[in-house]
Amino acid sequence: MATVSWVTGCLTALLETTFALQTPLCGNLIDHFTCEILAVLKLACTSSLLVDVIMLVVSILLLPIPMLLICISYVFILSTILRISSAEGRHKAFSTCGAHLTVVILYYGAALSMYLKPSSSNSQEIDKIISLLYGVLTPMLNPIIYSLRNKEVKDAMKKLLGRILLPPTHESL
């Protein structure tokens, strides 16, 4: 599955980039944080209809289908969790799944809104924020969310926050 994901991602990027680079551009200044293909296509002098159609088809195939598979797998996971007899076990399982589902929803929600929105609703500033959401925030949240599942990390974080929020007074020294 990992190999299929990597190969699909590489071939998709190659296909979209190849077609985008064949489109004549009216400038070389990209008003974006990264050299994202949508930002490059905004510089097109001619119609980029072919590239737009290719990207729409690829986006329809590569964004909702994996998300649908994740949702289906979560239905099976939830049905299994509900069969756990202990309340503590169910709570721990729901907590772990909730953290993962939060990251998945953030990533796919941002990516879907970026790549499947109508071109008439283009706003460069909103596009920048959305790209930061799925390109920076989601990868940053992953280690934080999963490390907070660890009891030692939670205890250290509580201790640190306690020191910051309740600094020692002169009398306690």
Side-chain angles (χ1 to χ4, degrees):
M1 285 190 334
T3 303
V4 169
S5 293
W6 277 95
V7 169
T8 303
C10 289
L11 289 177
T12 301
L14 181 66
L15 175 75
E16 291 175 349
T17 304
T18 301
F19 280 102
L21 291 177
Q22 292 176 4
T23 305
L25 303 177
C26 292
N28 59 3
L29 182 63
I30 298 172
D31 185 21
H32 210 277
F33 297 125
T34 62
C35 188
E36 190 164 307
I37 193 159
L38 293 176
V40 172
L41 288 176
K42 288 184 181 178
L43 297 175
C45 296
T46 61
S47 171
S48 59
L49 184 62
L50 176 63
V51 180
D52 290 342
V53 169
I54 289 170
M55 287 187 57
L56 179 65
V57 170
V58 167
S59 296
I60 288 171
L61 294 175
L62 296 183
L63 289 173
I65 291 174
M67 188 168 179
L68 179 65
L69 293 173
I70 290 170
C71 290
I72 290 169
S73 69
Y74 262 96
V75 168
F76 288 111
I77 291 169
L78 290 174
S79 69
T80 302
I81 290 173
L82 292 174
R83 286 185 264 150
I84 296 175
S85 57
S86 74
E88 183 182 333
R90 274 194 309 274
H91 175 72
K92 189 172 182 178
F94 274 125
S95 177
T96 301
C97 290
H100 178 256
L101 207 48
T102 300
V103 173
V104 167
I105 289 170
L106 270 174
Y107 176 79
Y108 277 106
L112 286 168
S113 67
M114 181 79 164
Y115 288 98
L116 294 180
K117 72 176 188 265
S119 58
S120 61
S121 67
N122 276 345
S123 164
Q124 197 66 23
E125 297 308 312
I126 291 174
D127 287 353
K128 288 179 185 178
I129 293 169
I130 293 172
S131 73
L132 281 177
L133 189 63
Y134 73 80
V136 176
L137 183 65
T138 304
M140 278 178 34
L141 282 178
N142 249 337
I144 294 169
I145 288 173
Y146 290 111
S147 65
L148 288 178
R149 304 286 317 127
N150 182 313
K151 184 178 177 357
E152 291 83 21
V153 173
K154 270 190 203 177
D155 291 344
M157 187 64 94
K158 285 178 188 174
K159 189 175 178 181
L160 176 66
L161 287 175
R163 285 184 189 160
I164 293 171
L165 298 175
L166 301 169
T169 61
H170 292 289
E171 293 139 11
S172 63
L173 297 173

